[in-house]
Amino acid sequence: MIEPIIEIVDNLDPGKVYQELSHPKSGGVCVFVGAVRDSTQGEEVVSLEFESYQRMALKEMRKIALEAAEKWTLNAVVVRHAVGAKEIEEPVVVVGASAAHRDACFQACRYLIDTLKERVPIWKKEYFKNKTVWVSAHP
Amino acid sequence: MEVLLFGIAKDIVGKTLYELDDVTDNPKSVLELKQYMVAQFPEFGKLSSLAIAVNSEYAADDVSLKQGDEIAIIPPVSGG
């Protein structure tokens, strides 16, 4: 079983992820980077803030990484999320998978980010000019 | 019993840690804790979802709560 790289950090550097995923048995490396967008449903976003229940978030991120590693036979996997105040264009999440062939790493990468969004206890607050909103809190 | 609060749960209650009276409140299960929190703070009833974590794992409604458990309210998550 591989040991995934799981981290919650204040500042995220997407530049180092290739080195972490590079592997002699991997012909494909796939990375998704989530960043701060300047608007939500047409409304201008000034900045974002992320908060986590760190102990549980790290546990859930590790479970997701191990699920993906087993399902798609990955050689390396990274799940890293930033917390704190973030400005427009800043990277906030990086997930990546490394596998023998591209299909496996594309599918694994999609699973990593989609599942992270569903169940990892991290919360995003959007700051607009006149209000703040905890994303997805209300129907 | 202490309950950890994050995100909008922290805003609803107005603090990061909520203390329940062990004698008068003392919910015995995850479901009872949810019902208690909604009764105390009706805003919890308006959220898209309300989950409870016991010892940093999602816990089903029938899970019982014990002294020393680390209990947290998990409002709808929005990472990524």
Side-chain angles (χ1 to χ4, degrees):
Chain A
M1 190 178 76
I2 64 157
E3 191 49 43
I5 297 173
I6 305 298
E7 275 186 340
I8 291 176
V9 295
D10 292 325
N11 293 297
L12 203 155
D13 173 12
K16 66 176 180 180
V17 74
Y18 178 70
Q19 201 178 345
E20 292 169 333
L21 291 171
S22 174
H23 189 280
K25 296 199 182 311
S26 289
V29 171
C30 207
V31 174
F32 172 83
V33 180
V36 182
R37 191 181 51 226
D38 69 359
S39 65
T40 290
Q41 288 161 351
E43 202 167 350
E44 187 184 341
V45 172
V46 178
S47 64
L48 292 187
E49 190 169 343
F50 287 90
E51 178 182 319
S52 78
Y53 175 12
Q54 181 160 326
R55 187 202 315 259
M56 182 177 173
L58 289 170
K59 253 175 152 175
E60 289 296 322
M61 287 157 71
R62 187 163 190 281
K63 281 187 215 167
I64 293 166
L66 290 175
E67 285 161 16
E70 192 183 330
K71 192 164 178 188
W72 288 285
T73 321
L74 304 179
N75 296 316
V77 55
V78 171
V79 180
R80 183 177 283 124
H81 205 296
V83 289
K86 301 291 153 205
E87 304 299 321
I88 308 301
E89 284 190 58
E90 267 193 75
V92 297
V93 61
V94 173
V95 299
S98 158
H101 303 286
R102 70 183 182 283
D103 274 355
C105 67
F106 269 118
Q107 287 176 34
C109 209
R110 174 104 216 177
Y111 176 82
L112 291 170
I113 187 62
D114 287 356
T115 316
L116 178 150
K117 280 174 160 289
E118 275 170 24
R119 63 181 217 222
V120 174
I122 293 177
W123 297 273
K124 169 165 45 189
K125 194 181 207 175
E126 287 177 330
Y127 286 76
F128 297 94
K129 277 183 179 149
N130 305 314
K131 62 174 180 179
T132 62
V133 174
W134 285 106
V135 176
S136 304
H138 293 103
Chain B
M1 177 186 289
E2 291 176 343
V3 178
L4 303 172
L5 301 163
F6 300 95
I8 196 166
K10 183 182 66 180
D11 288 359
I12 289 171
V13 176
K15 44 187 156 185
T16 57
L17 191 66
Y18 182 70
E19 293 200 31
L20 281 76
D21 186 312
D22 283 341
V23 179
T24 55
D25 307 324
N26 204 20
K28 302 281 190 296
S29 68
V30 166
L31 179 63
E32 284 183 27
L33 177 61
K34 284 183 187 174
Q35 290 167 339
Y36 173 86
M37 293 306 291
V38 172
Q40 295 293 312
F41 305 96
E43 285 295 314
F44 279 122
K46 299 177 186 167
L47 300 179
S48 311
S49 66
L50 185 63
I52 304 288
V54 177
N55 299 322
S56 59
E57 300 277 354
Y58 283 106
D61 281 353
D62 61 355
V63 169
S64 53
L65 303 176
K66 297 179 290 297
Q67 281 291 329
D69 280 343
E70 181 174 291
I71 298 164
I73 298 208
I74 310 293
V77 300
S78 49

